[in-house]
Amino acid sequence: QVQLVESGGGLVQAGGSLRLSCAASGRTFSSYAMGWFRQAPGKEREFVAGIGWSGTYTNYADSVKGRFTISRDNAKNTVYLQMNSLKPEDTAVYYCAAGAYITTQASSYNYWGQGTQVTVSS
């Protein structure tokens, strides 16, 4: 069982930066792949970024590639999403998720956090 708690969301102007954190409980955090997803009002939840259990392998949605960076610290049971050059279209609730492997499919992740709001003003 893994419990996930996101933090770091907020209001930022276009072009600004935010770093999201996702703290996990449980001693098995390092065995899970982790993903970040987001959901804007009226839209489906979409994959943003994923990272393997060791941190070596990462994957990004085309819409955030070059602007967002996912990383993890297994000693701290935490995964991060550094978001730079933010755009108004990045506005959404951001969720972290844990699963057996990196995938863009939300249904493949077993555990989810409650989400943190990111709002980018123009």
Side-chain angles (χ1 to χ4, degrees):
Q1 190 79 5
V2 177
Q3 292 184 324
L4 305 173
V5 179
E6 301 96 335
S7 61
L11 173 65
V12 64
Q13 288 187 332
S17 298
L18 282 175
R19 188 174 83 153
L20 305 183
S21 299
C22 174
S25 65
R27 293 176 291 178
T28 58
F29 171 77
S30 61
S31 66
Y32 286 96
M34 299 297 296
W36 284 98
F37 287 75
R38 66 187 182 187
Q39 188 166 18
K43 295 187 176 181
E44 293 187 354
R45 192 168 298 190
E46 65 173 357
F47 173 79
V48 175
I51 188 167
W53 63 270
S54 70
T56 301
Y57 181 75
T58 58
N59 189 27
Y60 296 91
D62 288 342
S63 59
V64 306
K65 203 169 291 184
R67 299 189 298 122
F68 291 10
T69 302
I70 188 171
S71 62
R72 67 188 296 162
D73 185 337
N74 287 341
K76 295 183 178 180
N77 280 13
T78 302
V79 63
Y80 304 97
L81 186 68
Q82 177 66 44
M83 305 186 296
N84 299 328
S85 302
L86 283 160
K87 304 175 181 180
E89 51 264 43
D90 293 319
T91 295
V93 177
Y94 284 70
Y95 300 88
C96 69
Y101 51 90
I102 298 176
T103 171
T104 61
Q105 300 302 310
S107 59
S108 296
Y109 289 82
N110 304 103
Y111 304 102
W112 290 85
Q114 83 290 348
T116 185
Q117 176 71 45
V118 171
T119 303
V120 184
S121 63
S122 57

